[in-house]
Amino acid sequence: MPRQVDHDARRTAIADAVLHTAADRGFREVTVRAVAARVGASTSLVTHYVSGRDELIGLAVRREVETQQARITVLTADRDPRAALRAVVEWAVQGPDPEAHRTWLAILVGAMSEPVIRAEVDVFNRWWDGLLRDLAEALDPRPADPALLVDTLDVLIDGLVLAGLEDAGGWTRRRRMRVVEGVLGALGL
Amino acid sequence: MPRQVDHDARRTAIADAVLHTAADRGFREVTVRAVAARVGASTSLVTHYVSGRDELIGLAVRREVETQQARITVLTADRDPRAALRAVVEWAVQGPDPEAHRTWLAILVGAMSEPVIRAEVDVFNRWWDGLLRDLAEALDPRPADPALLVDTLDVLIDGLVLAGLEDAGGWTRRRRMRVVEGVLGALGL
């Protein structure tokens, strides 16, 4: 009987190695060689799964995007629009661990120079903006300007992620949540 | 008569090369060799001015920080606290060109792994937070919680910078300013 190869586990290990490398040192340092070294495999094992560096990076970023989408989907299911919007904001601000925040920042920085990352981020952003817009439009009472509400929530989340990365020690959970409560309150959420 | 050497101009060219390299490719790629190549000089010319990579980076980041501080100081002089706070926020959101935003993001990312950058960012953040706190406390009427107001402004600015970097085309000046106006209005500014 031939030895069973768990291809899914290998793909996961490869994607994890890409994301850890990117979080630590940026996507610029992600190469087939660096990823092979990180998973303790040959470069030809890596290229058995991906055609090259672009596909390697695209695969890993898509996996991270899909992981985040799945979490957000669970979080918003079976909640009224107001509670779902609050849950999304609170999750984005305090839910992911610092590693997830660093990974996401690496993806955003990488998207500025690597089209393969840009394409995945664009897919995520369209999905995210659609989700928030649908929730904003379903609010009762309906806000005067749902698009402006979504923009403001996006800025709030981005700002808290970046502030936390700048000074993770200073921006305690309590301090972040006071800003969240202040802005959500001012927005009528 | 010996040839005059304009040391200030050389220091400026070296610092500019550091910042351009960092904005394009991150501080990880900033080395004495890379900077010498960018200014079209030998590595020994660069090390005539700095003892090594750390001093090279520290010099350039300090220069950028001081440039920004000087601009902000001019902007807030001779304005009442409310107008000064608004001016600072509007400047941060739309004033600097995209290159300045990319440079600043590179500095923030670099500060996560390079202590010499961290030290300069900490100096800037203390100055910035002090400036905003003084302005917030001088508002009439005095806000119930000046520290929370400053935190919210910091998050707003960080969020607009990051959102603009994610999708510079989509986040037009008008769209940013609508978010700024909405939040400042909600905060009573």
Side-chain angles (χ1 to χ4, degrees):
Chain A
M1 202 172 90
R3 190 160 67 96
Q4 293 288 315
V5 175
D6 186 340
H7 293 292
D8 278 348
R10 281 192 178 164
R11 282 198 188 87
T12 299
I14 290 169
D16 284 349
V18 170
L19 297 172
H20 286 310
T21 303
D24 288 349
R25 298 156 61 197
F27 275 95
R28 183 167 286 275
E29 304 281 323
V30 174
T31 59
V32 170
R33 184 180 299 266
V35 168
R38 188 145 193 161
V39 296
S42 62
T43 57
S44 63
L45 184 131
V46 173
T47 54
H48 177 75
Y49 293 98
V50 293
S51 63
R53 181 173 179 276
D54 270 2
E55 195 179 326
L56 175 69
I57 289 175
L59 173 88
V61 173
R62 196 171 316 119
R63 194 175 280 248
E64 177 67 13
V65 162
E66 286 171 357
T67 300
Q68 303 301 338
Q69 286 175 322
R71 287 192 190 148
I72 295 166
T73 300
V74 168
L75 208 63
T76 53
D78 303 323
R79 295 198 183 205
D80 71 72
R82 187 172 310 263
L85 277 176
R86 287 193 70 103
V88 169
V89 174
E90 290 177 14
W91 169 84
V93 168
Q94 43 151 313
D97 54 301
E99 168 87 10
H101 274 172
R102 277 207 308 281
T103 302
W104 198 251
L105 190 68
I107 289 173
L108 296 181
V109 172
M112 288 179 227
S113 59
E114 308 230 22
V116 63
I117 305 176
R118 174 83 270 159
E120 300 297 336
V121 169
D122 285 346
V123 169
F124 176 82
N125 283 343
R126 275 195 295 277
W127 175 84
W128 168 266
D129 286 340
L131 173 75
L132 262 59
R133 198 171 49 242
D134 288 350
L135 290 172
E137 286 176 352
L139 284 169
D140 181 24
R142 190 174 184 279
D145 189 339
L148 178 60
L149 178 63
V150 170
D151 277 358
T152 307
L153 292 176
D154 275 342
V155 167
L156 175 66
I157 290 169
D158 276 351
L160 283 159
V161 169
L162 188 54
L165 285 167
E166 280 179 62
D167 178 16
W171 281 91
T172 59
R173 181 179 179 287
R174 179 178 139 75
R175 192 171 161 202
R176 291 176 200 213
M177 287 312 297
R178 290 186 69 215
V179 172
V180 168
E181 289 304 328
V183 175
L184 293 186
L187 295 172
L189 290 173
Chain B
M1 202 172 88
R3 191 160 66 95
Q4 293 288 315
V5 176
D6 186 340
H7 292 293
D8 278 349
R10 280 192 179 162
R11 282 198 187 86
T12 299
I14 290 168
D16 283 349
V18 170
L19 297 172
H20 287 310
T21 303
D24 288 348
R25 299 155 62 197
F27 276 95
R28 185 167 285 276
E29 304 280 324
V30 174
T31 59
V32 169
R33 184 180 300 266
V35 168
R38 189 146 193 162
V39 296
S42 61
T43 57
S44 62
L45 184 131
V46 174
T47 54
H48 177 74
Y49 293 98
V50 293
S51 63
R53 180 173 180 276
D54 270 1
E55 196 179 326
L56 176 69
I57 289 175
L59 173 88
V61 173
R62 196 170 319 122
R63 192 176 282 248
E64 178 68 13
V65 162
E66 286 170 358
T67 300
Q68 303 301 340
Q69 286 175 323
R71 287 192 189 147
I72 296 166
T73 300
V74 168
L75 208 64
T76 54
D78 302 323
R79 294 197 184 207
D80 70 72
R82 186 173 311 265
L85 278 174
R86 289 193 70 104
V88 169
V89 173
E90 290 178 15
W91 169 82
V93 166
Q94 43 150 313
D97 54 301
E99 168 86 10
H101 274 173
R102 277 207 308 280
T103 302
W104 197 252
L105 190 69
I107 289 173
L108 296 181
V109 171
M112 288 181 228
S113 58
E114 308 229 22
V116 63
I117 305 176
R118 174 83 271 157
E120 299 297 336
V121 170
D122 286 345
V123 169
F124 176 82
N125 282 343
R126 274 195 297 276
W127 175 84
W128 168 266
D129 286 340
L131 173 75
L132 263 60
R133 198 171 49 242
D134 287 350
L135 290 172
E137 287 177 352
L139 284 169
D140 180 24
R142 190 173 184 278
D145 188 338
L148 178 60
L149 178 63
V150 171
D151 277 358
T152 307
L153 292 176
D154 275 343
V155 166
L156 175 68
I157 291 169
D158 275 351
L160 283 159
V161 169
L162 188 55
L165 286 167
E166 280 178 62
D167 178 16
W171 280 92
T172 59
R173 181 178 179 288
R174 180 178 138 75
R175 191 170 161 203
R176 291 176 200 213
M177 286 312 297
R178 289 187 71 218
V179 172
V180 168
E181 289 303 328
V183 175
L184 292 186
L187 294 174
L189 291 173

